[in-house]
Amino acid sequence: MAKVILVFASMTGNTEEIAELVGKGVSDAGMELVVRELPAGEPKELEDYDGIILGSYTYGDGELADEFLDFFDEMNELNLSGKLGAVFGSGDRAYDQFCVAVDILSDKLVEQGAELPLEGLKIELAPEDEEVCIAFGRSFAEKVKSVHA
C-alpha cells in the first residue's frame, strides 16, 4: 500500500488546522498517513514515502517558517525521484508576499525530483471552507494511489 507523509510548521494554529483537514482527506481516501509537526521528523524520512505533503505559514515579507529552515536546507541531500508531492500553506494578504512559502517548498520538492500533480493550496489565515482542504488531501491521495497502485 502506498504511504503518505505530511510535514508542517504552524505558529498560530492556522496551518495546523489546514494540516488536520488535508490529513483527513488523505485518510478518507484510504491512504496510510504519517504526520510530523516540525521540528519533529528528519528530511531523509521523506524518501521512505510515495507521497509527500509539506505545509508552512509564510512569515514576514515572504519568508519560510523558522521551524522549516533547517529541514529545508537538509532537503538538498534528498532524491525524491518517483515521489509525488503537494504543498499547502497559510498567509495573510495584508503582506505583499502572500503564501510564498508554498512556492518555496514546491520549488524545493521539484528540485529534488518530486512531481507535483496539484497546484499548491494557499489559504488566507484560517480555512473558511474546510471541504477545500479535505478535497485537496483526498485528491492528492487519489493521485498517489493511481501512480503507486
Side-chain angles (χ1 to χ4, degrees):
M1 172 190 277
K3 303 182 299 183
V4 174
I5 187 167
L6 189 158
V7 178
F8 74 96
S10 185
M11 179 188 286
T12 63
N14 291 338
T15 310
E16 181 176 16
E17 184 178 351
I18 299 166
E20 289 170 359
L21 294 167
V22 169
K24 179 179 178 355
V26 171
S27 296
D28 286 354
M31 296 288 294
E32 181 182 335
L33 176 68
V34 171
V35 178
R36 302 276 188 260
E37 181 173 5
L38 293 175
E42 295 294 326
K44 189 79 175 144
E45 185 178 18
L46 300 181
E47 293 179 333
D48 298 334
Y49 292 84
D50 305 297
I52 300 161
I53 305 173
L54 303 179
S56 177
Y57 59 91
T58 298
Y59 186 73
D61 294 322
E63 299 156 27
L64 192 60
D66 284 346
E67 298 90 338
F68 241 113
L69 295 178
D70 290 339
F71 192 95
F72 181 84
D73 288 342
E74 291 175 31
M75 285 178 67
N76 289 328
E77 308 300 319
L78 302 180
N79 177 0
L80 301 179
S81 298
K83 312 291 184 189
L84 293 183
V87 182
F88 67 87
S90 61
D92 188 339
R93 290 195 189 275
Y95 291 94
D96 290 337
Q97 303 290 322
F98 176 68
C99 280
V100 175
V102 172
D103 303 325
I104 293 168
L105 291 172
S106 294
D107 290 347
K108 179 60 79 177
L109 285 172
V110 170
E111 285 171 18
Q112 301 315 122
E115 292 182 40
L116 305 182
L118 304 174
E119 185 175 322
L121 177 65
K122 298 180 178 183
I123 302 290
E124 181 161 16
L125 303 174
E128 290 183 20
D129 184 353
E130 293 183 353
E131 186 53 40
V132 168
C133 301
I134 295 169
F136 180 81
R138 187 180 309 117
S139 179
F140 180 70
E142 293 299 334
K143 302 274 186 195
V144 173
K145 273 199 235 180
S146 70
V147 172
H148 295 282

